[in-house]
Amino acid sequence: MSGPGTSPMSSSNPHLGQPLRATTGTTTNPMNQPHLVSLVLQSKKALQHGEHLCTLAHSASHASAQAAVDVLALDAKLRWVVEAVVEQLKLAANVAKAIEEKRAHLGKQLYEWDTIRAKRTDALDDILELLGAQLVPPDFHQTSADSSLFGSQHPSDIEQDESAPSRTYTGKTTASPSTSPKRNLTHSNGSGKASGTTSSSYGRPSMSPVSPSATLRRNSTVRRYGDNPAELKAKEQDNRKGGKNRKEDRKRWKTLRDFVDDQAIEDALEMIESDRSALDKILSKTDGYPETLTRTIHAIQASLPYPDTGDPTTLATTQTVITAQEARVNVMASVLENLASHYDGMASALKETENGEVFSEEDWQIMNRDTEELPVIMAELEESANTIEGYHGQLTTTKDNLEKDLEHLGTVLDDLDELGDIMGEMLTTQESVEAQAEEELNALHHHLTTLEQLHEQYVAYRMAFNKLLLEIARRRQYREAAENIVRGMMRQLESMTEEESRVRTHFNAEYGQHLPEDLCLCIGNAPTVWEVVPAEGTTLESLPFIDNDLIVEARDKVGYGEGPPGAESL
């Protein structure tokens, strides 16, 4: 059998299409005429069937050409829409990336703030622990209101304290001395808003609003030292002699932390934590935006009618189909022409036979052989016709699929419009979040300044107290030096007075009896007795007692070398 691109009949029978002529001197059997008629009928039937197949093939070819035009038009439109959608998805991806970058920038700022806050709360915690380790001698807050360094300067506080019920003083309202700002400020993602400074204590170390002298239950009534100097001297001697007991009593001594207003610190820390949590709540509004956009973009992108990367393009496929179909049509046309020629030859042979012509045995073999090949040729025509119909079906299917894809693209475009609306809302929300976050960050940075100020103030508070210890020690040296001078003067005056009395007594005894009584009446007077006392309106200075080890410790903390305590202020 021959291939679809060649004529089976022309290749198998070179005499097909040529008129058959009778051979001289050859006789034929008259019974061959009916057989020839059968051959002619078979040829005619094959020709008619071939014409029918070629007609169908022509119609299918024409329809395929129209379908190919539609396929190419639909493909171009589909690709144009898909490319436009892809561009829009790229823009949406840029929006998602921009939102993610803005969130990352805010997250970085927040991380930096958290780092600085941790450092400053640690520093505040450290200074508060140092204040908790710094002992305060009881004389600093258990003496009179006039001389107490930590006592109230208002008599009303003293009256309230004396009338208050007995209770144990902790130095704080809600927190213990060991309360750590770092522990109080553990992040819990709450919410709140700063209003500026946390308390009026930011201008000075935050002390208890009510003086400890007004909250301590005194075991003795308030009195003014100096009314009884001997009592003051006795107390100081007891302090020096009872050093061992005083060291044991230090377990009950107060510390500098006891005079800190922990409630104000807690209020400040709670406000910081509240504002920090408020910022987290604001940022959480856009937590899922980048992920949601990315997921939606991928979903839309996956729903696009993209061809497989390994498949040829629609244009190439269509061109291949049309080219193959044209080749099939040309083959069928050639075969049809051969069938027509074969039929014409057979019809001519029949007429010649009717006119008395006779054919040789070789001619009959050729005609029989060509007729026997007709079924094979018709099968090939049917196969070609079916192939052309298949090409038409392939193009029609492609067209239907493209139309479905275009219809599906309508849904995709609706999803893209909805995505655009969502992105608009997201961008609006993101801008609002950025503005609110900026305000909250400014407030949080103000809180950092507050923490730094608190730390600096408590550092200054501790330094001032150590300086105070040295200053009290220096004043005690001054007072003792002045008292030594006064005592020396008193001893000298007493000695002079005794000597003067003895001399006057001797004079009066030896010469007074010889003098008239009304002569120089003052000669019998005793010498003036002198007494050195504080100036009028002043009292003997009362200073709290400080153990020597506390003075040495204060000197080390302040950084002074050897020398008299408080030498820097002398």
Side-chain angles (χ1 to χ4, degrees):
M1 290 183 60
S2 303
T6 62
S7 173
M9 292 185 295
S10 61
S11 62
S12 61
N13 188 357
H15 302 284
L16 186 65
Q18 298 179 1
L20 297 176
R21 299 185 182 273
T23 303
T24 305
T26 303
T27 60
T28 59
N29 190 350
M31 295 299 295
N32 287 331
Q33 186 174 1
H35 176 68
L36 182 60
V37 173
S38 176
L39 293 179
V40 173
L41 291 176
Q42 291 181 30
S43 299
K44 182 178 181 180
K45 184 178 179 181
L47 177 60
Q48 291 175 345
H49 186 54
E51 289 177 345
H52 175 69
L53 291 176
C54 287
T55 301
L56 294 177
H58 176 73
S59 299
S61 176
H62 180 73
S64 295
Q66 184 60 44
V69 173
D70 294 340
V71 165
L72 294 178
L74 289 172
D75 180 70
K77 183 176 182 180
L78 184 67
R79 290 182 178 277
W80 178 77
V81 175
V82 168
E83 289 175 0
V85 171
V86 170
E87 291 298 323
Q88 293 298 317
L89 292 179
K90 289 180 180 179
L91 294 177
N94 291 334
V95 171
K97 183 179 180 181
I99 293 177
E100 181 64 26
E101 290 176 350
K102 292 179 180 180
R103 284 180 49 77
H105 179 66
L106 290 174
K108 182 180 180 181
Q109 288 183 302
L110 197 55
Y111 174 78
E112 293 175 352
W113 183 89
D114 285 336
T115 302
I116 298 175
R117 179 186 69 169
K119 292 180 180 179
R120 294 189 179 177
T121 51
D122 287 344
L124 182 59
D125 185 39
D126 292 340
I127 187 60
L128 290 176
E129 288 182 359
L130 292 176
L131 293 178
Q134 183 95 37
L135 295 175
V136 178
D139 290 350
F140 275 60
H141 56 82
Q142 289 182 350
T143 55
S144 69
D146 287 342
S147 59
S148 173
L149 298 174
F150 290 93
S152 172
Q153 302 301 315
H154 304 285
S156 59
D157 290 342
I158 301 174
E159 294 174 0
Q160 294 175 5
D161 175 64
E162 291 176 346
S163 62
S166 175
R167 62 186 177 94
T168 302
Y169 176 73
T170 62
K172 285 162 281 297
T173 305
T174 60
S176 63
S178 61
T179 301
S180 168
K182 182 178 179 181
R183 291 190 290 271
N184 287 342
L185 207 55
T186 302
H187 181 48
S188 60
N189 294 333
S191 177
K193 177 68 180 174
S195 59
T197 57
T198 58
S199 70
S200 60
S201 61
Y202 290 163
R204 57 182 178 81
S206 179
M207 305 301 176
S208 177
V210 178
S211 171
S213 64
T215 58
L216 291 172
R217 185 175 186 274
R218 298 181 177 83
N219 295 322
S220 60
T221 58
V222 177
R223 59 183 299 278
R224 291 173 60 89
Y225 285 115
D227 295 341
N228 191 344
E231 182 180 346
L232 179 60
K233 295 292 184 181
K235 180 178 179 181
E236 292 179 353
Q237 292 177 359
D238 291 341
N239 287 335
R240 292 188 176 93
K241 292 179 181 180
K244 182 177 180 181
N245 294 333
R246 284 176 60 83
K247 290 182 179 180
E248 293 178 354
D249 291 342
R250 286 185 182 182
K251 296 179 180 179
R252 296 190 296 270
W253 282 16
K254 293 189 177 300
T255 65
L256 289 180
R257 180 69 185 272
D258 291 319
F259 299 94
V260 172
D261 184 7
D262 280 334
Q263 184 61 49
I265 297 177
E266 283 197 2
D267 290 344
L269 298 181
E270 287 177 1
M271 184 174 293
I272 293 174
E273 181 63 17
S274 177
D275 287 357
R276 174 64 176 82
S277 299
L279 181 55
D280 279 337
K281 186 176 181 181
I282 292 172
L283 294 179
S284 66
K285 295 179 181 178
T286 60
D287 278 347
Y289 281 8
E291 182 180 355
T292 300
L293 282 178
T294 302
R295 185 170 59 250
T296 305
I297 290 170
H298 289 167
I300 295 177
Q301 195 167 11
S303 67
L304 291 176
Y306 279 123
D308 295 336
T309 55
D311 293 343
T313 62
T314 303
L315 176 60
T317 303
T318 304
Q319 287 177 340
T320 301
V321 169
I322 295 299
T323 302
Q325 177 180 270
E326 188 66 23
R328 289 281 184 175
V329 168
N330 292 334
V331 169
M332 290 183 70
S334 177
V335 171
L336 183 62
E337 289 178 358
N338 291 334
L339 288 173
S341 297
H342 174 68
Y343 172 73
D344 290 342
M346 296 302 293
S348 297
L350 180 60
K351 288 181 180 181
E352 291 177 358
T353 302
E354 291 175 349
N355 294 329
E357 296 288 340
V358 293
F359 297 95
S360 66
E361 188 66 26
E362 181 181 358
D363 292 335
W364 283 107
Q365 289 178 356
I366 292 173
M367 287 187 291
N368 287 330
R369 185 185 61 197
D370 289 345
T371 304
E372 289 173 356
E373 289 183 356
L374 287 177
V376 177
I377 295 172
M378 297 310 298
E380 292 181 354
L381 279 178
E382 289 179 355
E383 181 184 358
S384 296
N386 291 334
T387 301
I388 292 174
E389 186 64 30
Y391 289 151
H392 174 255
Q394 181 180 351
L395 290 174
T396 302
T397 301
T398 303
K399 176 183 175 182
D400 293 340
N401 291 335
L402 290 175
E403 289 176 346
K404 291 179 180 178
D405 289 340
L406 276 176
E407 183 179 356
H408 172 67
L409 275 181
T411 304
V412 173
L413 291 175
D414 292 339
D415 294 339
L416 192 62
D417 290 339
E418 184 178 357
L419 177 61
D421 295 337
I422 293 174
M423 284 194 303
E425 294 177 1
M426 286 184 174
L427 289 174
T428 301
T429 303
Q430 179 64 30
E431 291 177 357
S432 175
V433 165
E434 288 178 13
Q436 296 178 38
E438 190 68 26
E439 294 179 1
E440 291 293 338
L441 279 173
N442 291 334
L444 289 176
H445 282 294
H446 175 74
H447 290 320
L448 291 180
T449 303
T450 298
L451 290 176
E452 185 177 16
Q453 290 176 349
L454 285 174
H455 174 261
E456 293 175 351
Q457 290 164 1
Y458 288 132
V459 168
Y461 168 42
R462 180 170 176 261
M463 175 61 71
F465 179 76
N466 288 316
K467 292 265 192 174
L468 173 64
L469 294 179
L470 298 180
E471 176 63 14
I472 295 299
R474 187 198 65 79
R475 292 188 183 187
R476 180 177 294 280
Q477 282 190 344
Y478 161 77
R479 190 192 69 180
E480 291 176 352
E483 289 178 349
N484 288 334
I485 293 175
V486 171
R487 283 193 293 270
M489 292 176 61
M490 291 294 295
R491 286 194 297 271
Q492 185 177 2
L493 288 173
E494 289 175 357
S495 176
M496 291 175 62
T497 301
E498 290 176 358
E499 177 63 22
E500 180 66 16
S501 296
R502 186 184 63 77
V503 172
R504 290 188 182 190
T505 300
H506 176 73
F507 176 83
N508 290 331
E510 184 175 357
Y511 301 106
Q513 58 183 344
H514 303 294
L515 295 174
E517 294 181 357
D518 56 352
L519 181 63
C520 192
L521 299 179
C522 66
I523 195 61
N525 294 342
T528 302
V529 178
W530 295 93
E531 181 180 10
V532 180
V533 297
E536 184 177 358
T538 62
T539 59
L540 186 62
E541 184 177 26
S542 173
L543 297 174
F545 179 78
I546 306 173
D547 292 327
N548 189 60
D549 63 321
L550 296 182
I551 296 176
V552 173
E553 182 181 351
R555 184 186 299 116
D556 293 339
K557 292 176 180 177
V558 170
Y560 294 141
E562 295 296 330
E568 77 287 353
S569 60
L570 290 176

